[in-house]
Amino acid sequence: MNTNNEYSIPSFARGFFLSAKSILAGMMKRVGSFTELFMLQHLENPRFYAMILTDAIVFITAFVMAYCLRFEFLLTKVHWNQIKEVLPFLLASKLVVFYFFKLYKGMWRYSSLSDFWRLAQASFVSMLLCVAFVLYSRSFIGFSRAVFLMDALLTFLFSGAFRVAIRTYYSARTYKRENHDISVSLPEGRSDPSKRILIIGAGDSGEKILREIIENPHLRFCVIGFLDDDPAKRGRAIHGVPVLGCVEKLPDVVERHRIEQVFISAPSATGAQMRRIVEVCKGCDVSYKTLPAIGQIMDGKVSIKALRDVNYEDLLRRPPVVLNTTGIQDYLSGRVVLVTGAGGSIGSELCRQLIRFGPEKLILLDAGETNLYDIQMELRHELNFDACRAVLARVQHQGIVDEVFKTYRPQVVFHAAAYKHVPMLERNPWEAVFNNVMGSRVVMEMSAKYVAERFVLVSTDKAVRPTSVMGTSKRLAELVLQSMRGGKTRFMAVRFGNVLASSGSVIPLFRKQIEHGGPVTVTHPEVTRYFMTIPEASQLILQAGAIGDGGEIFVLEMGTAVKISDLAMDLIRLSGKEPGKDVEIVFTGLRPGEKLYEELIIRGEDVAKTAHDKIMALHYNGHWNWNGMDSQDRFQKWLIPEINDLYRVAETHDACAIRRKLKELVHEYEPQDTECVF
């Protein structure tokens, strides 16, 4: 026998444990190997027997107490005989039922609400077994049925109380140890080791945070109270901590209760509400942190490195636009739909939105193997849409695109394939020509050749008075589109602002910089941009296809342009940090091709309202008189040969020559690299 047993089991109990272990091990020979392995894990743990023994004592006490209460503590010899006769079966049945309800699998120091529900169920089931045994056994005629009901209640109360006592004991011991450790390292002159905390948000998330603080005293937090805008919660309390008022009371509460830090626990708050809360905290000159819901951390939506995974709608500084889907069903349901750039941020979200309208088939075309595979697998296995076909190809390869149109005959085409990184295309302008201009023209020509019903081009606000190669290439794609209107295919475009959290956008970069402690790099303090969310962008594309007659460029009403520096500060604050204190902002200067302000409308474009109050339709009437061209036919005959010349220049990889040719084609193009333009 091992005399160094760490559990120090008394010698008189060791024999009982070994005997019980032998009996149970013999019984396990009749069951499967899995159950045998599961049981052996318990048999090797002496605390398992301690729990069994404790509950056996509780069961005996509860049964005897039930008799005493039923007969007002006047037990006769008959009553004692009844107790002795039924007790062996009652004890055995309760232990078996409690075991199968997994009440000996967990650790009592961590007993939870679900454990007490199982405890109640096990008490009730064991009572039914005992009553059934008594009813169908002739030798137990004359037993009081009320005893068994009282026994079930007492079993639940006594067993639950014992588990609560165990949990309380360990919590108290931890609290005492932690307080002792903290008191040793307290700064001189301070007797209270805890930081005084106020929680904004008296909901489920706030309650979980309070409970975590209570159960973990080593966190050194003392929650003074809650603030919540819900009038029904004011004057109430959570775990003894009062709700002191609404958020507007924060300055008074901070001063009166000497609050040192505020925890913002409002995961369901809108962007406007979050900004209001943050502004109030800033006005009080108190430290604050934005805390996520526990479920968000578990789902992987929030990194442990970042206190809160910011909802990008928080950064819009306006309510997100919800577009009317009336009419979308009519032109998508039962149609074959082609999406180019299907693996990108916009293209993939567009695919997710499209399948809601029941297309007959969805053709996914992308040049990126990994992104294309990911969206195909998501559609099939997560969204249960099997009618999708993936085509790995580049849009400028005319032969492949022709084969795709010939094979699938798409009736609706959404062209989202494009290069969009401004500084990258400034250094590699030929790729902007090949992909954004040539690729767009190829897909448009194939749409017209195979008589697609609708074609929607994804453009950008950088096409308005462009200063970059990227913006100019997208402007050329718009001109090609407008030159092709008038046929059986309805050609239209949508002009986006910056799309939050899309690939290549500034937000993912800022997030990484914040997670690493900064600095956050902004090009210029006065740079402003229009912003929209990925769902807004995708819905705008779908809406354009429904309301377009051909030749229009659609623009979403996006409110006031936002300074990038303000966006960076909002993101830092919503991540629970303070700009300039926790994370610095550094201005690095404008990048090649970048301009301070973006616009949505070109001079000469007529602005018209549409059926949706947040969407404008732009019709450009000025370019038909460009260089004396007074008709669309003459414009097209001039434009196409000029674009062919642009292709030939791009094949030389001469950046200066490409910019000069772009300037000839798009007169409003003002390149920043003036040395390359004569």
Side-chain angles (χ1 to χ4, degrees):
M1 183 178 295
N2 183 7
T3 58
N4 295 323
N5 193 319
E6 61 177 320
Y7 294 101
S8 301
I9 301 172
S11 58
F12 70 85
R14 192 170 294 129
F16 166 76
F17 292 147
L18 293 176
S19 299
K21 179 177 178 179
S22 300
I23 294 171
L24 291 173
M27 292 172 60
M28 287 192 303
K29 293 180 180 179
R30 300 183 180 90
V31 298
S33 59
F34 176 78
T35 305
E36 180 177 353
L37 178 62
F38 178 74
M39 286 288 292
L40 278 173
Q41 293 175 346
H42 289 289
L43 297 179
E44 296 295 334
N45 184 5
R47 295 185 181 182
F48 170 69
Y49 301 103
M51 289 189 288
I52 293 286
L53 182 59
T54 301
D55 266 356
I57 295 172
V58 168
F59 298 156
I60 294 171
T61 304
F63 190 56
V64 173
M65 183 62 68
Y67 259 91
C68 292
L69 293 174
R70 171 63 180 82
F71 298 105
E72 299 179 351
F73 291 88
L74 299 174
L75 300 185
T76 65
K77 185 176 181 180
V78 174
H79 297 144
W80 284 110
N81 287 334
Q82 289 178 345
I83 292 173
K84 291 177 183 178
E85 290 177 41
V86 79
L87 191 57
F89 176 79
L90 180 141
L91 189 60
S93 63
K94 283 189 177 181
L95 289 173
V96 170
V97 170
F98 273 49
Y99 179 81
F100 280 102
F101 271 86
K102 300 181 180 179
L103 290 169
Y104 302 126
K105 186 178 181 180
M107 291 184 285
W108 288 357
R109 70 175 72 182
Y110 301 121
S111 294
S112 64
L113 189 60
S114 62
D115 293 318
F116 286 104
W117 274 113
R118 289 201 303 273
L119 186 61
Q121 294 168 0
S123 301
F124 180 73
V125 170
S126 61
M127 178 198 72
L128 293 180
L129 289 176
C130 290
V131 170
F133 178 71
V134 169
L135 287 176
Y136 291 100
S137 178
R138 294 182 180 180
S139 58
F140 293 105
I141 296 174
F143 275 77
S144 171
R145 309 298 185 261
V147 167
F148 295 100
L149 179 59
M150 297 172 69
D151 171 63
L153 293 173
L154 292 173
T155 297
F156 172 70
L157 290 175
F158 291 170
S159 299
F162 193 82
R163 285 160 170 77
V164 170
I166 293 294
R167 178 165 181 169
T168 302
Y169 166 74
Y170 278 101
S171 296
R173 191 174 69 172
T174 302
Y175 180 79
K176 183 177 180 180
R177 182 179 66 249
E178 296 291 349
N179 274 334
H180 173 73
D181 293 341
I182 293 171
S183 63
V184 173
S185 58
L186 279 177
E188 184 178 354
R190 178 164 179 173
S191 58
D192 181 11
S194 301
K195 181 178 287 188
R196 299 172 69 83
I197 299 296
L198 182 71
I199 299 177
I200 295 180
D204 291 340
S205 181
E207 185 273 337
K208 288 183 176 67
I209 290 170
L210 173 61
R211 183 148 37 92
E212 186 69 19
I213 291 173
I214 292 173
E215 295 175 358
N216 293 276
H218 65 278
L219 295 174
R220 308 185 190 186
F221 294 146
C222 175
V223 180
I224 302 302
F226 288 91
L227 292 182
D228 199 291
D229 286 335
D230 185 354
K233 295 177 181 177
R234 295 171 197 169
R236 309 290 292 275
I238 300 176
H239 302 312
V241 177
V243 180
L244 301 173
C246 63
V247 176
E248 301 301 332
K249 298 288 185 182
L250 181 61
D252 180 58
V253 172
V254 168
E255 182 178 358
R256 187 169 69 249
H257 294 280
R258 306 191 313 278
I259 300 299
E260 298 176 75
Q261 192 164 48
V262 174
F263 287 167
I264 304 172
S265 178
S268 61
T270 65
Q273 290 171 330
M274 284 297 301
R275 281 192 293 274
R276 180 176 69 91
I277 294 171
V278 168
E279 290 300 321
V280 174
C281 291
K282 288 172 58 184
C284 298
D285 194 25
V286 64
S287 173
Y288 61 90
K289 293 183 182 296
T290 306
L291 303 182
I294 301 299
Q296 290 179 308
I297 297 175
M298 295 174 66
D299 287 342
K301 296 178 182 177
V302 180
S303 169
I304 297 298
K305 297 177 184 177
L307 282 173
R308 180 177 187 262
D309 190 7
V310 175
N311 183 351
Y312 293 121
E313 292 179 0
D314 295 349
L315 304 170
L316 281 178
R317 293 176 174 255
R318 61 174 173 82
V321 176
V322 179
L323 301 180
N324 184 4
T325 57
T326 302
I328 295 178
Q329 185 82 34
D330 295 337
Y331 86 91
L332 289 179
S333 179
R335 302 295 203 281
V336 178
V337 180
L338 168 65
V339 179
T340 69
S345 305
I346 302 300
S348 59
E349 178 63 23
L350 182 59
C351 293
R352 297 182 194 102
Q353 301 267 0
L354 275 168
I355 63 174
R356 296 186 300 150
F357 301 98
E360 177 187 337
K361 190 174 294 182
L362 185 57
I363 313 304
L364 316 172
L365 191 149
D366 200 285
E369 179 187 29
T370 302
N371 290 343
L372 182 62
Y373 174 81
D374 288 344
I375 186 59
Q376 183 187 29
M377 291 301 102
E378 180 181 344
L379 292 175
R380 286 184 175 176
H381 301 298
E382 296 182 28
L383 302 177
N384 299 316
F385 184 80
D386 292 326
C388 58
R389 303 291 182 270
V391 179
L392 182 64
R394 302 185 70 181
V395 288
Q396 59 264 44
H397 290 172
Q398 184 171 353
I400 297 176
V401 176
D402 190 296
E403 189 65 29
V404 170
F405 273 81
K406 184 188 300 182
T407 302
Y408 297 108
R409 300 283 175 165
Q411 295 155 289
V412 181
V413 179
F414 295 105
H415 182 52
Y419 288 143
K420 59 182 182 179
H421 194 278
V422 172
M424 190 77 71
L425 293 181
E426 286 300 305
R427 291 188 290 271
N428 305 276
W430 46 89
E431 289 299 329
V433 173
F434 296 144
N435 199 67
N436 296 358
V437 182
M438 181 188 296
S440 298
R441 177 185 167 191
V442 166
V443 181
M444 290 181 209
E445 290 177 345
M446 292 303 107
S447 297
K449 177 181 178 181
Y450 291 94
V451 198
E453 297 174 9
R454 289 173 171 84
F455 177 97
V456 182
L457 168 71
V458 177
S459 189
T460 171
D461 58 1
K462 292 176 174 58
V464 179
R465 292 202 301 172
T467 59
S468 64
V469 170
M470 181 271 187
T472 310
S473 67
K474 296 300 288 184
R475 178 58 184 151
L476 268 178
E478 289 182 358
L479 292 175
V480 172
L481 179 140
Q482 291 180 322
S483 74
M484 299 186 69
R485 70 179 185 175
K488 293 182 179 180
T489 301
R490 297 183 187 180
F491 288 95
M492 61 209 77
V494 291
R495 195 177 282 165
F496 288 169
N498 288 260
V499 181
L500 290 170
S502 63
S503 60
S505 71
V506 73
I507 301 301
L509 173 62
F510 284 175
R511 288 303 309 274
K512 289 181 180 179
Q513 291 174 334
I514 292 170
E515 287 183 6
H516 289 89
V520 171
T521 55
V522 178
T523 56
H524 192 283
E526 297 302 320
V527 167
T528 62
R529 295 290 183 267
Y530 291 98
F531 285 97
M532 61 197 311
T533 66
I534 291 177
E536 281 181 324
S538 301
Q539 292 176 53
L540 174 58
I541 297 171
L542 297 178
Q543 193 77 56
I547 62 180
D549 293 323
E552 306 99 332
I553 297 175
F554 293 100
V555 178
L556 182 68
E557 174 55 57
M558 291 182 288
T560 306
V562 178
K563 281 188 177 182
I564 300 296
S565 57
D566 290 343
L567 187 79
M569 287 190 283
D570 281 349
L571 188 59
I572 293 169
R573 292 191 183 106
L574 291 171
S575 297
K577 301 180 185 296
E578 183 65 28
K581 181 178 179 182
D582 300 318
V583 178
E584 294 290 336
I585 296 178
V586 175
F587 297 101
T588 59
L590 290 175
R591 299 175 300 175
E594 192 173 42
K595 57 183 179 179
L596 285 178
Y597 310 102
E598 299 288 5
E599 303 163 281
L600 294 172
I601 301 172
I602 296 174
R603 182 180 301 175
E605 288 179 329
D606 294 333
V607 181
K609 292 184 178 181
T610 67
H612 194 288
D613 60 353
K614 290 294 183 180
I615 298 179
M616 299 178 291
L618 310 179
H619 301 269
Y620 189 71
N621 296 319
H623 65 255
W624 304 134
N625 294 318
W626 201 352
N627 292 335
M629 290 173 285
D630 54 0
S631 69
Q632 179 180 345
D633 181 63
R634 291 187 64 188
F635 174 73
Q636 187 178 38
K637 288 180 179 179
W638 169 82
L639 180 65
I640 299 306
E642 291 293 327
I643 287 181
N644 290 335
D645 287 343
L646 176 64
Y647 296 162
R648 287 188 285 272
V649 173
E651 288 174 351
T652 67
H653 298 155
D654 186 338
C656 289
I658 293 171
R659 290 191 179 92
R660 285 194 294 269
K661 189 62 182 178
L662 288 174
K663 176 67 175 175
E664 291 178 17
L665 293 174
V666 181
H667 294 171
E668 63 265 31
Y669 171 41
E670 295 294 340
Q672 293 179 347
D673 188 359
T674 55
E675 293 181 1
C676 289
V677 180
F678 303 144

